[in-house]
PDB file of all heavy atoms in Angstrom:
ATOM      1  N   ASP T  63      16.751  -5.649  -9.001  1.00 91.00           N
ATOM      2  CA  ASP T  63      17.332  -4.825  -9.940  1.00 91.00           C
ATOM      3  C   ASP T  63      17.491  -3.328  -9.464  1.00 91.00           C
ATOM      4  O   ASP T  63      18.562  -2.753  -9.670  1.00 91.00           O
ATOM      5  CB  ASP T  63      16.520  -4.797 -11.220  1.00 91.00           C
ATOM      6  CG  ASP T  63      17.222  -3.954 -12.472  1.00 91.00           C
ATOM      7  OD1 ASP T  63      18.416  -4.383 -12.681  1.00 91.00           O
ATOM      8  OD2 ASP T  63      16.601  -3.070 -12.873  1.00 91.00           O
ATOM      9  N   ILE T  64      16.618  -2.807  -8.681  1.00 91.00           N
ATOM     10  CA  ILE T  64      16.654  -1.575  -8.187  1.00 91.00           C
ATOM     11  C   ILE T  64      17.905  -1.554  -7.190  1.00 91.00           C
ATOM     12  O   ILE T  64      18.631  -0.648  -7.138  1.00 91.00           O
ATOM     13  CB  ILE T  64      15.368  -1.174  -7.381  1.00 91.00           C
ATOM     14  CG1 ILE T  64      14.275  -0.860  -8.428  1.00 91.00           C
ATOM     15  CG2 ILE T  64      15.569   0.099  -6.503  1.00 91.00           C
ATOM     16  CD1 ILE T  64      12.870  -0.797  -7.777  1.00 91.00           C
ATOM     17  N   GLY T  65      18.068  -2.625  -6.438  1.00 88.00           N
ATOM     18  CA  GLY T  65      19.190  -2.755  -5.497  1.00 88.00           C
ATOM     19  C   GLY T  65      20.528  -2.744  -6.242  1.00 88.00           C
ATOM     20  O   GLY T  65      21.510  -2.281  -5.724  1.00 88.00           O
ATOM     21  N   LYS T  66      20.613  -3.242  -7.434  1.00 90.00           N
ATOM     22  CA  LYS T  66      21.858  -3.241  -8.195  1.00 90.00           C
ATOM     23  C   LYS T  66      22.194  -1.856  -8.722  1.00 90.00           C
ATOM     24  O   LYS T  66      23.355  -1.613  -8.906  1.00 90.00           O
ATOM     25  CB  LYS T  66      21.687  -4.243  -9.395  1.00 90.00           C
ATOM     26  CG  LYS T  66      21.690  -5.711  -8.932  1.00 90.00           C
ATOM     27  CD  LYS T  66      21.480  -6.598 -10.183  1.00 90.00           C
ATOM     28  CE  LYS T  66      21.284  -8.084  -9.679  1.00 90.00           C
ATOM     29  NZ  LYS T  66      20.938  -8.909 -10.863  1.00 90.00           N
ATOM     30  N   ARG T  67      21.104  -1.095  -9.026  1.00 92.00           N
ATOM     31  CA  ARG T  67      21.381   0.288  -9.584  1.00 92.00           C
ATOM     32  C   ARG T  67      21.506   1.338  -8.612  1.00 92.00           C
ATOM     33  O   ARG T  67      22.118   2.403  -9.010  1.00 92.00           O
ATOM     34  CB  ARG T  67      20.241   0.525 -10.594  1.00 92.00           C
ATOM     35  CG  ARG T  67      20.237  -0.286 -11.716  1.00 92.00           C
ATOM     36  CD  ARG T  67      19.130   0.049 -12.856  1.00 92.00           C
ATOM     37  NE  ARG T  67      17.947  -0.515 -12.386  1.00 92.00           N
ATOM     38  CZ  ARG T  67      16.865   0.247 -12.112  1.00 92.00           C
ATOM     39  NH1 ARG T  67      16.942   1.561 -12.120  1.00 92.00           N
ATOM     40  NH2 ARG T  67      15.699  -0.331 -11.713  1.00 92.00           N
ATOM     41  N   HIS T  68      21.295   1.111  -7.280  1.00 93.00           N
ATOM     42  CA  HIS T  68      21.308   2.138  -6.321  1.00 93.00           C
ATOM     43  C   HIS T  68      22.027   1.571  -5.052  1.00 93.00           C
ATOM     44  O   HIS T  68      21.864   0.419  -4.764  1.00 93.00           O
ATOM     45  CB  HIS T  68      20.027   2.671  -5.900  1.00 93.00           C
ATOM     46  CG  HIS T  68      19.093   3.208  -7.065  1.00 93.00           C
ATOM     47  ND1 HIS T  68      19.440   4.372  -7.635  1.00 93.00           N
ATOM     48  CD2 HIS T  68      18.134   2.644  -7.755  1.00 93.00           C
ATOM     49  CE1 HIS T  68      18.491   4.602  -8.687  1.00 93.00           C
ATOM     50  NE2 HIS T  68      17.793   3.516  -8.783  1.00 93.00           N
ATOM     51  N   GLU T  69      22.783   2.400  -4.415  1.00 91.00           N
ATOM     52  CA  GLU T  69      23.451   1.926  -3.263  1.00 91.00           C
ATOM     53  C   GLU T  69      22.495   2.091  -1.946  1.00 91.00           C
ATOM     54  O   GLU T  69      22.479   3.093  -1.223  1.00 91.00           O
ATOM     55  CB  GLU T  69      24.666   2.800  -3.023  1.00 91.00           C
ATOM     56  CG  GLU T  69      25.604   2.218  -1.850  1.00 91.00           C
ATOM     57  CD  GLU T  69      26.938   2.937  -1.702  1.00 91.00           C
ATOM     58  OE1 GLU T  69      27.418   3.344  -2.767  1.00 91.00           O
ATOM     59  OE2 GLU T  69      27.346   3.091  -0.617  1.00 91.00           O
ATOM     60  N   ILE T  70      21.704   1.079  -1.806  1.00 90.00           N
ATOM     61  CA  ILE T  70      20.626   1.130  -0.790  1.00 90.00           C
ATOM     62  C   ILE T  70      21.168   0.767   0.559  1.00 90.00           C
ATOM     63  O   ILE T  70      21.940  -0.154   0.786  1.00 90.00           O
ATOM     64  CB  ILE T  70      19.495   0.009  -1.077  1.00 90.00           C
ATOM     65  CG1 ILE T  70      18.987   0.169  -2.481  1.00 90.00           C
ATOM     66  CG2 ILE T  70      18.499   0.046   0.009  1.00 90.00           C
ATOM     67  CD1 ILE T  70      18.290   1.577  -2.675  1.00 90.00           C
ATOM     68  N   THR T  71      21.062   1.723   1.566  1.00 90.00           N
ATOM     69  CA  THR T  71      21.532   1.527   2.874  1.00 90.00           C
ATOM     70  C   THR T  71      20.442   1.219   3.958  1.00 90.00           C
ATOM     71  O   THR T  71      20.740   0.915   5.124  1.00 90.00           O
ATOM     72  CB  THR T  71      22.310   2.719   3.385  1.00 90.00           C
ATOM     73  OG1 THR T  71      21.551   3.907   3.267  1.00 90.00           O
ATOM     74  CG2 THR T  71      23.609   2.915   2.488  1.00 90.00           C
ATOM     75  N   GLY T  72      19.244   1.352   3.492  1.00 89.00           N
ATOM     76  CA  GLY T  72      18.087   1.159   4.384  1.00 89.00           C
ATOM     77  C   GLY T  72      16.734   1.120   3.620  1.00 89.00           C
ATOM     78  O   GLY T  72      16.705   1.637   2.544  1.00 89.00           O
ATOM     79  N   ILE T  73      15.758   0.471   4.213  1.00 88.00           N
ATOM     80  CA  ILE T  73      14.557   0.409   3.590  1.00 88.00           C
ATOM     81  C   ILE T  73      13.388   0.773   4.597  1.00 88.00           C
ATOM     82  O   ILE T  73      13.390   0.323   5.700  1.00 88.00           O
ATOM     83  CB  ILE T  73      14.270  -1.009   3.110  1.00 88.00           C
ATOM     84  CG1 ILE T  73      15.288  -1.393   2.120  1.00 88.00           C
ATOM     85  CG2 ILE T  73      12.864  -1.279   2.577  1.00 88.00           C
ATOM     86  CD1 ILE T  73      15.173  -2.904   1.595  1.00 88.00           C
ATOM     87  N   VAL T  74      12.422   1.533   4.125  1.00 90.00           N
ATOM     88  CA  VAL T  74      11.209   1.822   4.824  1.00 90.00           C
ATOM     89  C   VAL T  74      10.098   1.255   3.833  1.00 90.00           C
ATOM     90  O   VAL T  74       9.872   1.762   2.898  1.00 90.00           O
ATOM     91  CB  VAL T  74      11.005   3.275   5.068  1.00 90.00           C
ATOM     92  CG1 VAL T  74       9.697   3.468   5.804  1.00 90.00           C
ATOM     93  CG2 VAL T  74      12.158   3.899   5.832  1.00 90.00           C
ATOM     94  N   HIS T  75       9.498   0.237   4.426  1.00 86.00           N
ATOM     95  CA  HIS T  75       8.357  -0.467   3.659  1.00 86.00           C
ATOM     96  C   HIS T  75       7.038   0.117   3.976  1.00 86.00           C
ATOM     97  O   HIS T  75       6.529  -0.161   5.030  1.00 86.00           O
ATOM     98  CB  HIS T  75       8.452  -1.950   3.927  1.00 86.00           C
ATOM     99  CG  HIS T  75       7.315  -2.708   3.261  1.00 86.00           C
ATOM    100  ND1 HIS T  75       7.125  -2.549   1.808  1.00 86.00           N
ATOM    101  CD2 HIS T  75       6.493  -3.624   3.628  1.00 86.00           C
ATOM    102  CE1 HIS T  75       6.100  -3.318   1.449  1.00 86.00           C
ATOM    103  NE2 HIS T  75       5.754  -4.003   2.503  1.00 86.00           N
TER     104      HIS T  75
END
Side-chain angles (χ1 to χ4, degrees):
D63 185 56
I64 290 170
K66 290 176 185 173
R67 290 184 283 116
H68 304 284
E69 191 173 327
I70 306 297
T71 59
I73 297 174
V74 179
H75 177 50

